[in-house]
Amino acid sequence: MANESSTDTSTDTATDRRRATIWEVAKAAGVSHQTVSRYLRNDAKMRPETVARVRQAVEELDYRPNLTARSMRTRRSGRVAVLLPAVATYGPPQILSGVMEVAHEHGYTVEAFSVEGTPADRFERVRELADSGQVEGVLALAPLPPGSGGRFPERAAIVVSADYDDKFRGVGELADGSPVEDLVVRLAELGHRRFLHVTGALDYASARGRRDVFVATVERLGLGPAQVIESDWSAEGAHAAVLSLPEKDHPTAVIAASDVGAAGVVLGARERGWTIPGDLSVTGWDNNQLGAYLEPTLTTVNVDHRKLGRAAMARLVATLQPETAAAREAEAASDGPLNTIIWRGSTGPAPS
Amino acid sequence: MANESSTDTSTDTATDRRRATIWEVAKAAGVSHQTVSRYLRNDAKMRPETVARVRQAVEELDYRPNLTARSMRTRRSGRVAVLLPAVATYGPPQILSGVMEVAHEHGYTVEAFSVEGTPADRFERVRELADSGQVEGVLALAPLPPGSGGRFPERAAIVVSADYDDKFRGVGELADGSPVEDLVVRLAELGHRRFLHVTGALDYASARGRRDVFVATVERLGLGPAQVIESDWSAEGAHAAVLSLPEKDHPTAVIAASDVGAAGVVLGARERGWTIPGDLSVTGWDNNQLGAYLEPTLTTVNVDHRKLGRAAMARLVATLQPETAAAREAEAASDGPLNTIIWRGSTGPAPS
DNA sequence: GGCTAGGAGGTGATCGATCACTTCGCAAGG
DNA sequence: CCTTGCGAAGTGATCGATCACCTCCTAGCC
């Protein structure tokens, strides 16, 4: 509403007032340009008096190093590219916050790219970026085609393809499906014996991860062959899955791969006359804010997206600067839990 | 799960295989470096034969222009900065998608920054960015302090502070509160006469915008002094607001500033024994996916975030390249609606 | 034939920093 | 007294493009 929006400074001011160069600073300080350069790079071997003179000149002229010139000479751009999926319908910005935090902490600036299309398209884009020499590294927050790992015979840029998929659902070491194990174990303690997992779209690595953990856990607990119905994150898919269940000996606990899917499960259960959590316990994933206001309130998994982003960029930085690998360790060590389960009203003891 | 994650190319390959320069291309093509430069810049006045020779040399050497060197000479970085709020809990990535789309369409790369703290901190950061000469423009997707508009006496970079606030809720010309008017009018047609608006946090421009439109519309329709209760986007605040209403002649329609707030309203109404939409109609904002699964399903406002982002960057580009201002017009003209109301079960005729 | 116009391409300077050497000055050691 | 060593600062080359200006050549015209 206020008119503070859309402000442009007069372009002429911009043009004629050029920033001072290292030479001008040198002249003002009565030293050589190289001495100024030393000052900028914090070279230890300078007389305090000289340092002071340069410092003053820098301040008077409001000098700032031209990073373009610097990076031309040093052949280091100090930039990393982050590839974001273009079509993310879900995908918290906190992940990007975490990414930027770590990048800036290590002196990198972040260039954002988005890319439409298939994983193959993305792969091509990443190659291009890595090959362009514009950036030192590429962090792909969208999945690349399976097996593209070894296929980066490119130049300067190093690629870390993080384990995220199109919807920013984390998988792999960063955010694996392990909470599924906790969910199943706890529900088993509550007496549940027949479990069902309604998956996300299985071309998503995270969906596969959750399914795999589910299957492994159910079998480990000796709860018979795991029941899995493939779906696609949507409520409709989960809804249909519930309707397809047999009336007799139907599952009493459903692990959905998303909150939206869980909502579909609840809807389907209602239509079949099953009460929740009386006849059926349901869990979701994502901690959607409205989950606490569903009827019943929804048990879900909360994901610390910022931490996810931090870990991803820490990995890239560690690859770029092996000597700073300590950073990555530190990052890994700073673990509070990445995922926490929030138990609410949609889960309860198994029906007797 | 797959081991395609975290891949680093051998650094030595990166180091020794330097990209060919314009000079090497020139030598290979048997022309001068300047001719190669002409070829790159698509200079019209070249003999087709020469063009072919250069083209072949470029391909053979897999040459690509060093953009750092170019931008050093041309003094144009081709980069714009986008300032993202660090703490956004809500804030769809589609907005960033839209921003990047338009930037890339116009040949800019996008540098992402986030910033913690107060609007004043952000303002300082924007100044710094604009002043650094690193970027040609800054797009602030977080609000700056009121009145900071005229205070950018900086160099090259031009600043457009878009009308977004900490939670990416759009306001102003891009996404004003006008859907509020439609909501109120339609509900009035359904017989409602006593309206209540539960605001978002009023330091957010978008919250103020929605409130202002609400007040204006209610008064225009002659529905008496508008009833407004200040809240903060949260469910708790909205919940408390409902509990504070009088039993007699309470409002029959509540416009909440967010879906979460609407959920709080619904909860409060339940506790008071009011049915929805029988005794009370409720509307939200944001089109949270779970809104369709609340009891009752939630009427809400869907916002086209990608379009929002496109419009914002189009504005910046138009400022940077006034001659291309056509772009902005085109962007503005390509309007499907930015906001659409989704009517669902939480709204209905006024109680008789 | 001579002169001009303009197409096509070449030459050298330049952008603003860092790097690799060189130089200067002073003190310690032989 | 000369040499050596080293701290401190200076000189010139360099990164890879573009810009400004110059040269060459040929066609066209009087």
Side-chain angles (χ1 to χ4, degrees):
Chain A
M1 296 300 156
N3 58 354
E4 80 247 27
S5 54
S6 180
T7 307
D8 59 327
T9 41
S10 51
T11 316
D12 39 15
T13 311
T15 320
D16 57 354
R17 263 186 67 188
R18 242 185 37 234
R19 192 116 249 168
T21 74
I22 201 174
W23 285 91
E24 295 167 304
V25 174
K27 201 170 74 180
V31 298
S32 76
H33 68 283
Q34 175 63 340
T35 301
V36 179
S37 180
R38 283 203 184 86
Y39 166 78
L40 296 174
R41 306 199 336 123
N42 280 324
D43 193 319
K45 315 196 166 182
M46 289 181 68
R47 281 213 313 270
E49 178 204 322
T50 313
V51 169
R53 284 234 305 280
V54 175
R55 187 201 316 284
Q56 195 191 338
V58 163
E59 273 175 22
E60 270 170 14
L61 297 175
D62 190 24
Y63 166 85
R64 316 234 189 127
N66 179 324
L67 296 187
T68 305
R70 172 180 293 172
S71 88
M72 175 167 172
R73 180 72 243 235
T74 60
R75 302 174 152 294
R76 289 204 49 216
S77 64
R79 289 191 280 159
V80 295
V82 174
L83 197 75
L84 303 165
V87 292
T89 57
Y90 176 82
Q94 293 99 305
I95 220 172
L96 193 52
S97 284
V99 163
M100 289 189 293
E101 276 175 23
V102 174
H104 292 156
E105 283 164 14
H106 292 274
Y108 291 96
T109 60
V110 172
E111 198 134 308
F113 290 90
S114 88
V115 61
E116 315 244 9
T118 68
D121 293 337
R122 277 195 289 272
F123 177 66
E124 198 41 53
R125 191 92 174 87
V126 169
R127 275 186 63 119
E128 203 180 300
L129 274 171
D131 195 44
S132 72
Q134 292 301 293
V135 296
E136 294 181 38
V138 180
L139 175 60
L141 290 180
L144 303 182
S148 53
R151 297 174 47 213
F152 287 108
E154 313 302 339
R155 330 196 171 241
I158 294 172
V159 175
V160 170
S161 105
D163 294 331
Y164 298 97
D165 56 24
D166 282 83
K167 301 214 168 181
F168 281 108
R169 299 164 191 279
V171 300
E173 70 189 29
L174 296 178
D176 57 66
S178 67
V180 171
E181 177 171 5
D182 299 338
L183 285 170
V184 172
V185 167
R186 175 75 184 119
L187 287 168
E189 286 170 10
L190 287 171
H192 293 271
R193 290 296 171 269
R194 293 188 303 279
F195 287 83
L196 168 67
H197 176 48
V198 179
T199 74
L202 286 180
D203 47 337
Y204 291 24
S206 57
R208 294 195 298 273
R210 290 170 205 176
R211 179 200 57 190
D212 294 345
V213 173
F214 174 80
V215 170
T217 305
V218 166
E219 294 183 347
R220 179 172 68 74
L221 296 179
L223 301 177
Q227 241 188 111
V228 172
I229 298 185
E230 180 173 347
S231 180
D232 59 359
W233 306 119
S234 76
E236 290 72 22
H239 179 224
V242 170
L243 297 186
S244 76
L245 293 175
E247 190 59 40
K248 186 164 167 301
D249 289 341
H250 64 76
T252 63
V254 180
I255 311 291
S258 69
D259 280 351
V260 175
V265 170
V266 169
L267 186 65
R270 283 260 170 67
E271 290 174 9
R272 300 196 60 163
W274 297 341
T275 63
I276 294 175
D279 296 318
L280 197 66
S281 283
V282 179
T283 73
W285 200 294
D286 286 342
N287 192 20
N288 184 308
Q289 279 189 94
L290 284 189
Y293 297 90
L294 288 177
E295 185 69 26
T297 58
L298 187 62
T299 291
T300 190
V301 176
N302 182 61
V303 180
D304 187 339
H305 291 106
R306 167 175 301 220
K307 185 169 289 182
L308 221 57
R310 290 192 62 95
M313 182 51 80
R315 251 171 72 193
L316 178 57
V317 169
T319 314
L320 289 173
Q321 316 178 336
E323 69 278 18
T324 322
R328 185 183 169 184
E329 308 309 326
E331 189 70 29
S334 79
D335 54 358
L338 202 51
N339 296 312
T340 51
I341 299 174
I342 300 176
W343 294 97
R344 295 211 191 93
S346 66
T347 43
S352 49
Chain B
M1 299 294 152
N3 57 355
E4 79 248 28
S5 55
S6 180
T7 307
D8 61 326
T9 40
S10 50
T11 316
D12 40 16
T13 311
T15 320
D16 57 355
R17 262 186 67 188
R18 241 186 36 235
R19 192 117 249 167
T21 75
I22 201 174
W23 285 91
E24 294 166 304
V25 174
K27 201 170 76 180
V31 297
S32 78
H33 69 284
Q34 174 64 339
T35 300
V36 177
S37 181
R38 285 204 182 84
Y39 166 79
L40 296 174
R41 306 198 337 120
N42 281 326
D43 191 319
K45 316 195 163 185
M46 288 181 71
R47 281 214 311 273
E49 178 203 324
T50 314
V51 170
R53 284 231 306 278
V54 175
R55 187 202 316 286
Q56 195 191 340
V58 163
E59 274 176 22
E60 271 170 14
L61 297 176
D62 190 24
Y63 167 83
R64 315 233 189 128
N66 179 323
L67 297 187
T68 304
R70 172 179 292 172
S71 88
M72 175 167 171
R73 181 70 243 235
T74 62
R75 305 172 150 293
R76 290 205 46 216
S77 65
R79 289 190 281 159
V80 295
V82 174
L83 195 75
L84 303 165
V87 291
T89 57
Y90 177 84
Q94 292 100 305
I95 221 172
L96 193 52
S97 284
V99 163
M100 289 189 293
E101 275 175 24
V102 174
H104 292 155
E105 282 164 16
H106 291 273
Y108 289 98
T109 61
V110 172
E111 199 132 307
F113 290 91
S114 87
V115 61
E116 316 244 11
T118 69
D121 293 337
R122 276 196 289 272
F123 178 66
E124 199 40 54
R125 191 91 174 87
V126 169
R127 274 186 63 119
E128 203 179 300
L129 274 172
D131 196 43
S132 72
Q134 292 301 293
V135 295
E136 296 181 36
V138 180
L139 176 60
L141 289 179
L144 303 182
S148 54
R151 299 176 46 214
F152 287 109
E154 313 302 338
R155 330 198 170 238
I158 294 171
V159 175
V160 170
S161 105
D163 294 329
Y164 298 96
D165 56 25
D166 283 84
K167 301 215 168 178
F168 280 108
R169 299 165 192 277
V171 298
E173 70 188 30
L174 296 178
D176 56 65
S178 68
V180 170
E181 177 171 5
D182 300 338
L183 287 170
V184 171
V185 167
R186 176 77 184 117
L187 287 168
E189 287 171 9
L190 288 171
H192 291 274
R193 290 296 172 267
R194 295 188 302 279
F195 286 83
L196 168 67
H197 176 49
V198 180
T199 75
L202 287 181
D203 47 338
Y204 291 24
S206 58
R208 293 195 299 274
R210 289 170 204 175
R211 178 199 57 189
D212 293 344
V213 173
F214 174 79
V215 170
T217 305
V218 166
E219 294 183 348
R220 179 171 69 75
L221 295 179
L223 301 177
Q227 239 187 113
V228 173
I229 297 184
E230 180 173 347
S231 180
D232 59 358
W233 306 120
S234 76
E236 289 71 22
H239 180 225
V242 171
L243 296 186
S244 75
L245 293 175
E247 190 60 39
K248 186 164 168 297
D249 289 340
H250 65 76
T252 62
V254 180
I255 311 291
S258 69
D259 280 351
V260 175
V265 170
V266 171
L267 186 65
R270 282 260 169 67
E271 291 174 7
R272 301 195 60 162
W274 297 341
T275 64
I276 294 175
D279 297 317
L280 197 66
S281 283
V282 179
T283 72
W285 199 294
D286 286 343
N287 192 19
N288 184 308
Q289 279 188 93
L290 284 190
Y293 297 91
L294 288 177
E295 185 69 24
T297 58
L298 187 61
T299 291
T300 190
V301 176
N302 183 61
V303 180
D304 187 338
H305 291 106
R306 167 175 302 219
K307 185 170 289 182
L308 221 57
R310 291 191 61 96
M313 182 51 80
R315 251 172 70 193
L316 178 57
V317 170
T319 314
L320 289 173
Q321 316 177 336
E323 68 278 15
T324 323
R328 186 184 168 184
E329 306 309 326
E331 189 70 29
S334 79
D335 54 357
L338 201 54
N339 296 311
T340 51
I341 298 174
I342 300 176
W343 294 97
R344 296 210 191 95
S346 66
T347 43
S352 48

